[in-house]
Amino acid sequence: MGDTVIVDMPNYMQVPGLLKWIGANIMYLWRKPPDWRFPVEKAIELMIRYRPKAIFITDPNNPTGSYMDRNELNELAEESIKTGTLLVFDEVYWGSERGEPKNSVIQVIEGENAVSISGLSKVYGLPGLRIGWIAVKLRKIVDRMLGLKDYTSIAPSILSDYIASKILTQNNVEKLRKRAKEIIEKNIKILKKEFTIRENIIEVYWPLAGAFIWTRIPWTTNTLELTYDLYKRYSILINPGECFEAKGYIRIGIGQKPELFNKNIRYTLNSLEELRKQYAKMKLLD
Ligand SMILES: Cc1ncc(COP(=O)(O)O)c(C=O)c1O
């Protein structure tokens, strides 16, 4: 209650929601276009100035797909040790990097002030198992988490537990990461092809990792209305930037099977093009 925390933005909004619920004093730290990298320098400045209790980062980031390199992680880790700030990293998209493999925060930090959260729902393609984990050295946090588990899921289903134990072998982890990367690469290639003939419809920030494309709509900032229209008129469900407190953007999922994605992205872009024409007629363009 009342503790100051820093939250990486834009972000998967569950953590900011929980922090509001428990009455934390939240400081949003916004990433910026065009690369949407985590602003390490700014985070360090805020840590020194406000001595926050924790900093919550999604790395690789949802929705922008950007992730930190080892130097950036080191810089952040060094300062967090000095200021006693707990680094809480959601690393559920770890393993989907398109370039240099990412390091986990707990591989970089020697001390006890880092937490890595992940699970099987994304890169491993097994959301139905409801299996995830928290890696942390600090005993106090382990005990607290075990206590919370008694009030939430209590224990995993025995089937999920069994499947997860088979998945989490070096060989299978690598196989599934490779599978995820192949899907993402294929879908990005498909989007690149479709996109070149429709550059005025969406502005794309090509991701470094993750299962999304973060895009800006150059012709309207009311993306909530736009996604309602996409849903009502074309049965297309897309997250508007408003879900991330970022009006004017939309997040497109690229985790589908490439055959499906090919058809669906063309349909989505065509629908956006039609909507833009209709908005122009109704004088709704920005
Ligand atoms: C960054 C991030 N963390 C956590 C989750 C939740 O994952 P799970 O389904 O394993 O609870 C999501 C789901 O979209 C996510 O994007």
Side-chain angles (χ1 to χ4, degrees):
M1 205 48 153
D3 285 328
T4 296
V5 293
I6 297 174
V7 173
D8 176 21
M9 285 291 282
N11 206 331
Y12 174 64
M13 294 305 279
Q14 198 177 50
V15 166
L18 282 169
L19 288 167
K20 275 185 202 162
W21 186 43
I22 61 169
N25 173 29
I26 307 169
M27 297 173 76
Y28 280 170
L29 178 52
W30 281 93
R31 294 164 183 258
K32 295 212 170 71
D35 57 13
W36 299 95
R37 65 175 277 278
F38 181 76
V40 180
E41 317 73 28
K42 185 81 192 158
I44 291 176
E45 208 183 296
L46 293 177
M47 280 198 272
I48 295 171
R49 190 142 156 222
Y50 296 101
R51 305 261 153 180
K53 190 144 195 180
I55 173 158
F56 293 85
I57 301 173
T58 297
D59 187 64
N61 178 257
N62 172 5
T64 66
S66 167
Y67 64 94
M68 277 186 246
D69 64 27
R70 186 148 188 136
N71 287 341
E72 291 172 314
L73 274 175
N74 273 334
E75 271 179 61
L76 192 72
E78 249 173 56
E79 199 54 48
S80 74
I81 292 165
K82 286 192 210 147
T83 55
T85 308
L86 185 69
L87 297 180
V88 186
F89 271 53
D90 179 329
E91 297 188 319
V92 79
Y93 289 101
W94 183 23
S96 64
E97 303 88 276
R98 303 180 58 213
E100 274 296 292
K102 163 192 146 58
N103 291 110
S104 166
V105 67
I106 51 168
Q107 288 175 308
V108 169
I109 208 161
E110 293 296 324
E112 295 193 319
N113 60 325
V115 180
S116 164
I117 303 162
S118 195
L120 294 179
S121 298
K122 311 292 175 194
V123 178
Y124 307 98
L126 294 162
L129 293 187
R130 310 309 306 143
I131 294 280
W133 54 86
I134 296 171
V136 56
K137 284 189 195 162
L138 200 61
R139 188 71 229 175
K140 204 169 79 183
I141 297 184
V142 176
D143 290 342
R144 180 91 174 106
M145 290 298 128
L146 285 172
L148 281 174
K149 196 165 165 52
D150 285 340
Y151 286 87
T152 51
S153 59
I154 305 179
S157 102
I158 197 160
L159 262 179
S160 294
D161 207 27
Y162 176 77
I163 298 169
S165 70
K166 298 283 164 211
I167 294 300
L168 289 171
T169 61
Q170 186 79 27
N171 200 11
N172 285 335
V173 163
E174 270 158 29
K175 252 201 248 167
L176 289 171
R177 284 181 168 190
K178 186 165 169 275
R179 171 187 169 270
K181 284 183 199 177
E182 277 168 10
I183 293 175
I184 289 162
E185 251 1 282
K186 276 188 192 155
N187 288 345
I188 285 180
K189 207 165 148 199
I190 291 169
L191 180 59
K192 279 201 167 146
K193 202 170 111 221
E194 287 299 321
F195 170 69
T196 45
I197 46 171
R198 294 189 189 80
E199 284 195 29
N200 52 350
I201 298 298
I202 51 171
E203 210 175 283
V204 177
Y205 304 102
W206 300 104
L208 301 177
F212 304 106
I213 305 257
W214 185 232
T215 68
R216 195 178 81 84
I217 303 293
W219 38 276
T220 180
T221 44
N222 194 348
T223 31
L224 183 62
E225 197 60 38
L226 175 68
T227 51
Y228 272 133
D229 283 340
L230 277 174
Y231 179 63
K232 282 185 292 196
R233 300 186 201 176
Y234 304 97
S235 297
I236 295 170
L237 196 56
I238 280 188
N239 267 79
E242 282 83 346
C243 287
F244 307 92
E245 301 189 21
K247 258 168 106 73
Y249 295 89
I250 59 172
R251 189 193 72 176
I252 300 177
I254 51 165
Q256 296 171 25
K257 286 195 177 114
E259 312 83 78
L260 270 180
F261 183 76
N262 197 358
K263 191 167 114 245
N264 292 345
I265 194 66
R266 196 168 311 146
Y267 177 60
T268 303
L269 292 173
N270 286 344
S271 307
L272 279 168
E273 202 162 10
E274 268 180 43
L275 277 180
R276 195 183 62 150
K277 282 185 200 146
Q278 289 168 26
Y279 283 19
K281 263 195 212 148
M282 294 189 288
K283 304 211 177 341
L284 290 174
L285 296 188
D286 281 348

